Amino acid sequence: MSTENLPQSPEQPPRKPRVAVVFGGRSSEHGISVVTAGAVLKAIDRTRYDVLPIGITQDGRWALTADEPDRMAISDRRTPSVDQLAESTEGGVVLPVDPASREVVYSEPGSVPKALGEVDVVFPVLHGPYGEDGTLQGLLELSGVPYVGSGVLASAVGQDKEYMKRVFTSFGLKVGPYLVIRPREWGQDEAAARKRIVDFAGEHGWPLFVKPARAGSSIGITKVDDLSGLDEAIAEARRHDPKILVEAALTGREIECGVLEFEDGPRASLPAEIPPPDTHAYYDFEAKYIDSTPGIVPAPLTDEETAEVRRLAVEAFDAASCEGLVRADFFLTEDGEFVINEINTMPGFTPISMYPQMWQATGVSYPELVDRLVQAALRRPTGLR
């Protein structure tokens, strides 16, 4: 029988890609992650993407949260939390564990689990351990769900400042003098571990910076001007990480540069300069996020210096096998040499953060930046690549 004259079913419009914005987490950078998520949720193009906000509480529960970016801002000098945004104090979101399915499920005790639909890409805006360090990336690889940003190896390298520096050194990038004290050293002989730091200061001079080896947002960092402040600085760093990093202070200008993955490969933004803050000993957490110490964008560098730091930023991106995005932080020393301090594979992404500001100055707006990151993730398969 001919079907020519039968009524035809109208074609269904193609489904928009679904982006799960995952934020919060168990690290001490929980609050800044929530602020970052608010900015991303505001900027993402809702005509192109469906969005599912998923918050991870500080005790590790995956919560369905309100899609209300205005509630995710810093208020009264305090950062927000996922607990303030969660739709339930008990319900949990479960990602698929079968690569053949991308269905996300929400369940509460005593209730029938509710399907939330398929997720095409995850935008993980977590900072610090249990999210930015390769752990979440490994979960997404097992689930077969594409995600924004670097993979397991690059995320782990980018989180651990010791191995980051080792990788950079092996690729010929210059790093400053540093010392690592591991947890076992504290347990075996705390006095000997402390003496190593004192001897390091004797060789390189004061001040020193004592840091958690695997933290970001300048949390747990202390600038130590002399021996009297050392024990307190060690205790503060170890409160965030049992492994600590000690760095010699470098004299020079702080220069940052963003790297973004385009269709033809990574490109670097115009750099920014972080001037010494007036009311802080250095560019610490409060200077960055609470008092919003402004950076200079673009940095007042010569054309040759600008070209060099952009080249080095892409070189650092490639050295650590990064994907998606990176912020690379350098010191420009008095003899005109760039020394790389660190990279951040999921840099602060608030509107006042340096990464989006540098790309804005380079001609990529915040919404376009978010779109390019999502598109890069959708192009890239999970698994070995």
Side-chain angles (χ1 to χ4, degrees):
M1 182 176 71
S2 172
T3 60
E4 288 182 2
N5 298 321
L6 293 178
Q8 302 295 310
S9 299
E11 287 190 12
Q12 294 294 318
R15 182 175 68 83
K16 291 186 289 188
R18 199 136 191 259
V19 181
V21 179
V22 180
F23 60 96
R26 294 163 55 192
S27 83
S28 52
E29 298 175 71
H30 176 101
I32 289 303
S33 174
V34 178
V35 176
T36 294
V40 170
L41 288 170
K42 256 185 186 177
I44 197 165
D45 187 349
R46 304 304 178 101
T47 67
R48 296 193 64 185
Y49 305 105
D50 287 328
V51 179
L52 177 66
I54 300 174
I56 302 177
T57 64
Q58 287 181 303
D59 60 5
R61 180 173 64 91
W62 290 51
L64 192 61
T65 63
D67 187 2
E68 299 177 11
D70 289 338
R71 294 174 58 196
M72 300 180 177
I74 293 172
S75 177
D76 296 327
R77 301 178 68 85
R78 294 183 179 181
T79 56
S81 73
V82 169
D83 285 311
Q84 297 167 352
L85 302 161
E87 295 189 354
S88 165
T89 58
E90 295 183 317
V93 176
V94 180
L95 286 181
V97 292
D98 180 358
S101 170
R102 293 182 181 173
E103 188 83 24
V104 176
V105 174
Y106 176 74
S107 63
E108 290 191 57
S111 300
V112 177
K114 179 174 65 175
L116 300 178
E118 291 191 346
V119 166
D120 297 290
V121 62
V122 169
F123 199 134
V125 293
L126 294 104
H127 302 308
Y130 315 111
E132 190 185 352
D133 58 350
T135 50
L136 178 61
Q137 290 74 15
L139 173 63
L140 295 171
E141 292 285 353
L142 290 172
S143 302
V145 180
Y147 54 93
V148 170
S150 290
V152 175
L153 173 65
S155 296
V157 167
Q159 188 65 41
D160 191 313
K161 294 177 175 62
E162 175 194 359
Y163 287 97
M164 181 198 308
K165 291 175 185 292
R166 289 179 181 274
V167 167
F168 289 157
T169 301
S170 71
F171 277 81
L173 292 161
K174 185 172 179 59
V175 304
Y178 69 95
L179 173 72
V180 176
I181 307 291
R182 292 183 171 80
R184 185 185 301 168
E185 295 179 71
W186 297 118
Q188 289 179 340
D189 191 338
E190 188 166 331
R194 186 180 186 278
K195 183 177 184 301
R196 286 188 64 206
I197 301 175
V198 174
D199 290 345
F200 180 82
E203 181 180 357
H204 298 285
W206 302 93
L208 301 177
F209 286 90
V210 180
K211 306 180 175 183
R214 296 162 291 193
S217 298
S218 297
I219 290 175
I221 298 177
T222 305
K223 181 182 180 183
V224 185
D225 292 315
D226 54 45
L227 195 60
S228 64
L230 182 59
D231 290 343
E232 186 177 344
I234 292 170
E236 173 62 13
R238 292 186 66 194
R239 193 165 68 83
H240 298 275
D241 188 343
K243 182 168 83 165
I244 72 168
L245 184 83
V246 180
E247 292 177 338
L250 294 177
T251 302
R253 299 161 62 187
E254 289 192 49
I255 306 294
E256 298 184 349
C257 191
V259 181
L260 177 64
E261 184 180 342
F262 285 74
E263 290 83 356
D264 60 350
R267 302 182 200 170
S269 70
L270 289 171
E273 180 168 3
I274 309 300
D278 295 331
T279 56
H280 297 266
Y282 64 99
Y283 193 46
D284 62 7
F285 178 87
E286 289 208 350
K288 285 180 181 179
Y289 297 110
I290 305 300
D291 296 326
S292 304
T293 301
I296 303 170
V297 188
L301 301 171
T302 67
D303 290 346
E304 292 77 13
E305 288 168 338
T306 297
E308 176 66 0
V309 75
R310 295 176 84 173
R311 182 187 71 80
L312 290 171
V314 173
E315 195 170 315
F317 181 96
D318 286 335
S321 298
C322 295
E323 295 167 296
L325 73 163
V326 147
R327 191 194 72 234
D329 301 345
F330 297 85
F331 289 101
L332 177 56
T333 63
E334 293 176 329
D335 60 2
E337 186 173 38
F338 283 103
V339 177
I340 188 163
N341 186 41
E342 63 181 48
I343 58 169
N344 199 314
T345 57
M346 185 51 70
F349 222 88
T350 70
I352 64 169
S353 297
M354 296 312 304
Y355 185 83
Q357 285 193 51
M358 289 186 287
W359 278 109
Q360 180 77 43
T362 314
V364 180
S365 68
Y366 195 108
E368 183 186 349
L369 188 57
V370 171
D371 181 66
R372 283 194 172 276
L373 289 168
V374 172
Q375 288 298 316
L378 288 169
R379 287 195 303 269
R380 190 171 63 238
T382 55
L384 297 176
R385 52 188 182 272

